[in-house]
Amino acid sequence: MKQSRLMKERIRRVTLLFKELGYNIESEEYDEDAYTAGFHRAATPGGFIYIDRECRFLELAYTFLFSARLGAFLRAQMSILQDICYEFGCYYVVRTEGEDIIFTIHSKLYYAGLNYFSLKETLRDLTTAVQAVEEQVGILFDPDIEGSNYEGS
């Protein structure tokens, strides 16, 4: 599939900025309309990059995966988790898939304002929100343990 010049430039610009900030990019998937990739850096939560040809925003996301057994606990924590996300300029999506509860924190950055410093600040806010949610729900991640949520899931 052929990508437009706009998509190629967005992908090039975003991946270059992530690399300049010390992040590794992996699991890249793209077609003519969308690009997704994972990103991570040692000792910090990673996440996912979403670039959509029709959207004027770079979207970043981090996903938590919880067992359905934690449903009542998560419902009781939801207003606090919402406050955490909003405090750092993020929004969240909660959905169920089979026996799992998927809680994803999102952040967006307008391409017209995308530069090294704006991406650095946006990633700092997203990382801080993720760490605050981890604290609130009592999750302690170890980046040296395989399967930990530190690199996104």
Side-chain angles (χ1 to χ4, degrees), residues 40-107:
H40 69 90
R41 183 171 70 180
T44 61
F48 291 97
I49 301 166
Y50 299 101
I51 299 174
D52 185 322
R53 189 173 87 177
E54 300 299 319
C55 185
R56 296 178 187 220
F57 295 91
L58 167 64
E59 186 168 353
L60 308 173
Y62 184 88
T63 299
F64 291 93
L65 184 64
F66 298 102
S67 166
R69 292 178 293 148
L70 295 173
F73 170 75
L74 289 173
R75 277 190 294 281
Q77 299 293 315
M78 199 51 63
S79 68
I80 296 169
L81 300 181
Q82 178 181 2
D83 290 344
I84 290 169
C85 290
Y86 290 156
E87 178 182 350
F88 296 103
C90 301
Y91 66 97
Y92 67 93
V93 174
V94 180
R95 62 186 170 91
T96 58
E97 190 171 292
E99 293 292 316
D100 297 322
I101 299 169
I102 301 166
F103 181 85
T104 305
I105 300 174
H106 295 270
S107 186

Side-chain angles (χ1 to χ4, degrees), residues 23-34:
Y23 286 87
N24 295 319
I25 304 292
E26 57 188 31
S27 305
E28 296 176 289
E29 294 182 22
Y30 45 93
D31 60 31
E32 63 188 37
D33 293 324

